Amino acid sequence: MGRYVIRRTLTLLLTVLLTSIIIFALTQLLPGDVAKLVMGREASPSEIDNFNERFGLDKPMPVQYVRWLGGFLTGEWGRSYIQGNPPVRPLVTERMANSLRLAGFTLLLAVPTSILLGIGAALNEDSWLDNAISIVSLSVVGLPEFVTGIVLMNIFALGLGWFEATSLVSDTMSLLDWIRILALPAITASFVLIGYITRMTRASMIDELKKSYVRTATLKGLPRPTIILRHVLRNALLPTITVIAISIGWLMGGIVVIENVFNYPGMGSELVSAVEKKNIPVLQAITMIIVFIFALANLLADLLYALLNPRIRLE
Amino acid sequence: MATPVIEARNLSIDYRIDKQWLNAVCDIDLTINPLQIHGLVGESGSGKSTLGLGMMRYLDSNARISQGEILFNGDDIARTSLSQMRSIWGKEISLVPQNPLDSLNPSMRIGKQMAEVTMLHMGLSQKEALQTAIQALEHVKIADPEQIIRHYPHQLSGGMQQRVMIAMALSTRPKLLILDEPTTALDVTTQAVILDLVRELIKEEEAAALYVSHDLGTVAQLCDYVTVLYAGEVMESASVQDLFAKPLHPYTAGLLSSLPNANHGERNSRLSTIDGVAPSLAERSSVCVFAERCPVAIEKCHNEKPPLEQTVGNRLGRCWRWQEIDSGDIIPRNKPQGFITENNQKEKSGLVLAAHTISKQFGEYSLLDRLLGHEKNYVQAVQDVSLGVGHSMTVGIVGESGSGKTTLARAIVALISADSGTMELLGTPLPVELNKRDKNALSQLRMIFQNPNDALNPYQTVETTLGRTFKVLSKENPSATEISERIEEVLQAVGLAAAYATRYPNQLSGGEKQRVALARASIANPALIIADEPTSSLDVSVQATILNLLKDLRAQRGASYVVISHDLDVIHYLSDWIVVMYLGEIMEQGSSEKVYELPMHPYTEALLSAIPVPDPTARHGHIRLDGDIPSPRNKPTGCPFHTRCPRYIGDICKHEAPPIRTTDDGHQIRCHIPLDDLAITQKQSTPERTV
Ligand code: SF4
Ligand code: SF4
């Protein structure tokens, strides 16, 4: 197991390092001259030189990369290109905290629900319940998020007034305030996840139920619920862990549409605006964070998988 | 007479397939008396597993009992509720399944899985149950059971896993044990030990057992009473002595005489066969189910189904003609057609294939291993193997799992490249790498595989498959007529009608596919064909036809063969020269006669002793090997066999590689014991079985 952890961690670091190079290279390829774009068309050549010097854009590419990576690792994430040049870090960490809140709340809603639905469907394979769950989870996956988002908003925020329609976030908010804000975007995101995770759980549960060790357990005379809880669940949920890990990455950076519908200040929407404004320091920082969290979630999932699976743990 | 432990009457089980109920086992009468081990034999598709599990009222989700009753403890368990079955399962009837690894929960410790049963049925606390598990493991002769209960299934060898299953099944002292092909996944030396154990424990616990198997050898050695199943029906049922001494049903007679050792080492005669194939579920007829294949069928057989009736003594049989068979008026089996006359190419001098000191390692040594300072972790799959194959000769390579026999075969045909060593084909050097071999080498050296399903392209007709191979391997560009002539010729040689040319693999039975594979291998007249377990995926009755075919082909065409098998009977029947391998090394090689005579290598001796002879009067040999085959990863030092050798003579076996001792006729034995001494001790004594 020790060897396994070391190997996985090394792979993680290597992945993140490689992606950092890719991210850096790609941001250099964005069309247009950064200084001109940021300073405006009328900027004089000396103003542009000045800008380039201030942000180190006059140095050769590898030097820029090393500097940037070094800065990133030591917490010096640079300054934003937009007016006033505020430092990038507080901005990004705040967005990250918001995204983490939303991701956490979404998983809290989606994971238990979908696992229960998946198990329910698998245990009643081909019954009306199974069919109902399959149809609902399939159609929910198919619905575009902005449709679900807007429908939910119209009913529960604008109509019933239970939740907030837009997300005005402040430092002094209570947990209840947070829930009122997070509820609708989280439910919207959950819809997508529930579709995936339910079907995954159902499939692996059905697979597992067909295995010979379930027959052995049955022929020991164990009651069905004991067989499911003690023998099948643990093995059946292993693949689900991986799906959950992947969805963490998606929740952190991939739900721009949902963030926009609810005006939620998460990382996704900030990422989009950074791309639009060619605000490269912010763009790089956010992408790095997303990559890192994604890789970390995968690592944790792998380790958890190994921990629950003696064939890997005791390799 | 004692009341039976379990009794099935008129039992039928159906499967629902494509919205239709199809009958899988039909009208079964089966009685198991106390202390009896009852064998249930049949080939694949006979319904033996369905019936075996059905006897304990365990049915697949698409199966049902459509008729009949199963009496157990005076109750008809075919009708009881599932919740009542739960108090019988695991307590009064237990199962020992075919594949122990799949049958154990991969993520639960052995102890916990075992404890579950006794906690449930005997009301033990977890602590007591674990204690009971330890005792049960001691009972099945597992060393260090305190350790084993903390292991997970994958950490144990196949033999150990099966011992765990047996210990678990017996831990509640059930009245009846159902053994569903319990040794099929094991090596023959392990199988012998497990069967001894089963026999001993069942007697000791005063239980009864139903032993489901396709293997007549193990049935003869283990069972008291036998029921033969074919196409879902009981053909015949008798005590093991009666059944093997005098089968009264043509199917049983056919099965017994198609075994490769049925003609007692008479290697020049053909095996008798059962022609045709067993009917599928949908094709079961309402007349005698065996009529299509029966060599003594009469008109009545095709019109009326014979009843299952009492025949001689208290035997049961289902055949219209059992009286005639009993009186000896008819002989109910295919007479093997004459002797096989060999052509005399054998006199040709020189070797078809010579291999010198072939070695092959597997294993990786990654950057990370290097960084972490790990030892190299190679598997020495084949080590310094040298052998020669003469003209028109069959060399048989026999060995258990991990012996390296398949690796060796693959290295010869260059599916993998040997690490070191040299080879010559017909006197010219044969490169170890495939891409360095020329067309001539490729066409002279062909291979057939264990599983014909994987070897044939499912989207090509037989004709296309054969034609392409012929075109690719021919020296001159053959014309279309030449190709189709040649196809017709080889199909005929392998006993397939010309109509087969246009069929796709899914329209062929297992045996027919293997014939096509043979046809493809021989289409370009190779000098040597390597056959890797050519019959091990086939039923015995089909195996016999393929073995006959291999012999015929050699006799007619004079090609040489290297046949690889775990089955010593198959090897003995086919081969002129036998090579015995263990953990990647040759332990013994010699002519077929010499290898079966004393002196023999202690491993060969043990292997022969472990073979279950399909004759209940010939009791098993007595040599049993301790422990399991070591992993080739941690190969023992000195003599690789020293960890299990019953003739071990001391430290020298542990530390020094034994010398090759050769006699005049080329018979080689690798052992520290001189050949004369070996012969003397082997004649005198069976070694004490160390426990
Ligand atoms: S009933 Fe007829 S066909 Fe069937 S086994 Fe007997 S002799 Fe053969
Ligand atoms: S060398 Fe020793 S251990 Fe090896 S087979 Fe001979 S007696 Fe047995």
Side-chain angles (χ1 to χ4, degrees), chain B residues 337-651:
Chain B
Q337 301 135 355
F339 287 89
I340 298 165
T341 33
E342 306 270 345
N343 63 10
N344 41 15
Q345 281 214 11
K346 253 179 209 158
E347 313 309 325
K348 259 200 205 167
S349 63
L351 292 175
V352 175
L353 178 85
H356 309 284
T357 60
I358 301 288
S359 293
K360 178 71 193 172
Q361 286 183 337
F362 291 113
E364 49 185 80
Y365 190 48
S366 72
L367 186 67
L368 182 69
D369 289 316
R370 240 170 274 218
L371 288 176
L372 293 177
H374 283 290
E375 297 266 323
K376 282 188 190 176
N377 191 3
Y378 286 127
V379 175
Q380 187 74 47
V382 170
Q383 191 173 345
D384 290 336
V385 167
S386 302
L387 52 88
V389 183
H391 286 276
S392 273
M393 178 176 171
T394 301
V395 171
I397 303 179
V398 66
E400 298 177 282
S401 54
S403 64
K405 57 189 189 301
T406 295
T407 308
L408 178 63
R410 289 170 174 253
I412 294 174
V413 293
L415 279 176
I416 49 174
S417 308
D419 297 332
S420 61
T422 56
M423 284 179 270
E424 279 151 41
L425 184 69
L426 298 166
T428 47
L430 182 68
V432 293
E433 280 130 13
L434 189 60
N435 54 15
K436 296 207 181 115
R437 294 191 174 175
D438 57 16
K439 199 171 177 180
N440 182 43
L442 294 181
S443 65
Q444 293 290 6
L445 184 57
R446 306 304 301 162
M447 179 153 182
I448 50 181
F449 297 91
Q450 174 172 3
N451 194 338
N453 289 328
D454 305 339
L456 297 177
N457 183 340
Y459 304 108
Q460 283 182 359
T461 58
V462 169
E463 198 169 30
T464 320
T465 301
L466 295 179
R468 285 206 180 165
T469 311
F470 187 53
K471 221 158 77 205
V472 171
L473 294 177
S474 299
K475 283 189 196 77
E476 296 95 35
N477 255 343
S479 68
T481 40
E482 275 172 327
I483 293 177
S484 59
E485 270 170 30
R486 182 68 190 136
I487 290 174
E488 205 172 307
E489 213 177 331
V490 280
L491 281 180
Q492 199 185 355
V494 299
L496 290 176
Y500 278 85
T502 52
R503 298 213 186 157
Y504 287 93
N506 66 6
Q507 297 168 303
L508 305 174
S509 72
E512 287 166 348
K513 280 182 210 161
Q514 203 58 296
R515 283 169 193 260
V516 173
L518 249 172
R520 182 175 61 176
S522 42
I523 195 158
N525 273 321
L528 179 63
I529 294 178
I530 315 267
D532 184 9
E533 302 271 11
T535 59
S536 67
S537 66
L538 307 173
D539 279 320
V540 265
S541 65
V542 184
Q543 164 171 293
T545 60
I546 299 292
L547 294 181
N548 283 343
L549 182 60
L550 282 166
K551 287 225 140 185
D552 284 340
L553 283 179
R554 189 186 68 172
Q556 292 157 9
R557 301 195 28 262
S560 302
Y561 290 84
V562 171
V563 180
I564 285 151
S565 178
H566 67 283
D567 186 334
L568 229 127
D569 287 337
V570 167
I571 292 291
H572 187 221
Y573 177 68
L574 285 178
S575 317
D576 311 298
W577 187 265
I578 296 180
V579 177
V580 183
M581 287 185 73
Y582 186 74
L583 289 177
E585 296 180 39
I586 292 181
M587 295 286 109
E588 172 167 10
Q589 61 176 319
S591 65
S592 217
E593 295 76 33
K594 285 287 173 191
V595 168
Y596 269 68
E597 280 169 11
L598 298 182
M600 51 174 78
H601 190 278
Y603 176 60
T604 315
E605 191 189 6
L607 210 51
L608 281 174
S609 182
I611 295 177
V613 189
D615 174 2
T617 53
R619 276 296 161 191
H620 247 146
H622 293 294
I623 300 175
R624 291 291 177 269
L625 295 184
D626 291 330
D628 298 299
I629 302 172
S631 153
R633 234 170 243 285
N634 319 304
K635 204 163 133 178
T637 53
C639 172
F641 188 49
H642 85 251
T643 53
R644 302 169 80 203
C645 180
R647 309 237 175 242
Y648 178 77
I649 49 169
D651 278 352

Side-chain angles (χ1 to χ4, degrees), chain B residues 249-250 288 290-291 294 296-297 301 306 319-321:
Chain B
H249 194 281
C288 174
F290 190 56
C294 181
V296 292
C301 309
C319 175
W320 290 122
R321 306 188 74 183

Side-chain angles (χ1 to χ4, degrees), chain A residues 3 216 220 230-231 235, chain B residues 103 105 107 113 116 121 369:
Chain A
R3 208 183 113 91
T216 309
K220 281 175 180 173
R230 204 186 284 166
H231 287 272
N235 297 318
Chain B
S103 300
N105 186 337
S107 58
Q113 302 197 42
E116 250 182 353
H121 293 298
D369 289 316

Side-chain angles (χ1 to χ4, degrees), chain A residues 3 6-7 10 211-213 215-216 218-224 230-231 234-235 308 310-311 313-314, chain B residues 53 58 86 89-90 95 97 102-108 113 116 120-121 152 154-155 368-369 374:
Chain A
R3 208 183 113 91
I6 296 175
R7 205 172 69 213
L10 285 179
K211 296 206 171 151
S212 304
Y213 73 84
R215 181 181 72 184
T216 309
T218 308
L219 291 181
K220 281 175 180 173
L222 293 171
R224 188 84 174 157
R230 204 186 284 166
H231 287 272
R234 178 177 176 161
N235 297 318
L308 292 174
R311 269 168 298 188
R313 171 157 40 106
L314 303 170
Chain B
L53 285 158
Y58 183 87
R86 283 198 192 101
W89 284 339
L95 173 76
D102 292 347
S103 300
L104 288 162
N105 186 337
S107 58
M108 199 188 269
Q113 302 197 42
E116 250 182 353
L120 179 71
H121 293 298
Y152 288 95
H154 74 278
Q155 296 174 295
L368 182 69
D369 289 316
H374 283 290

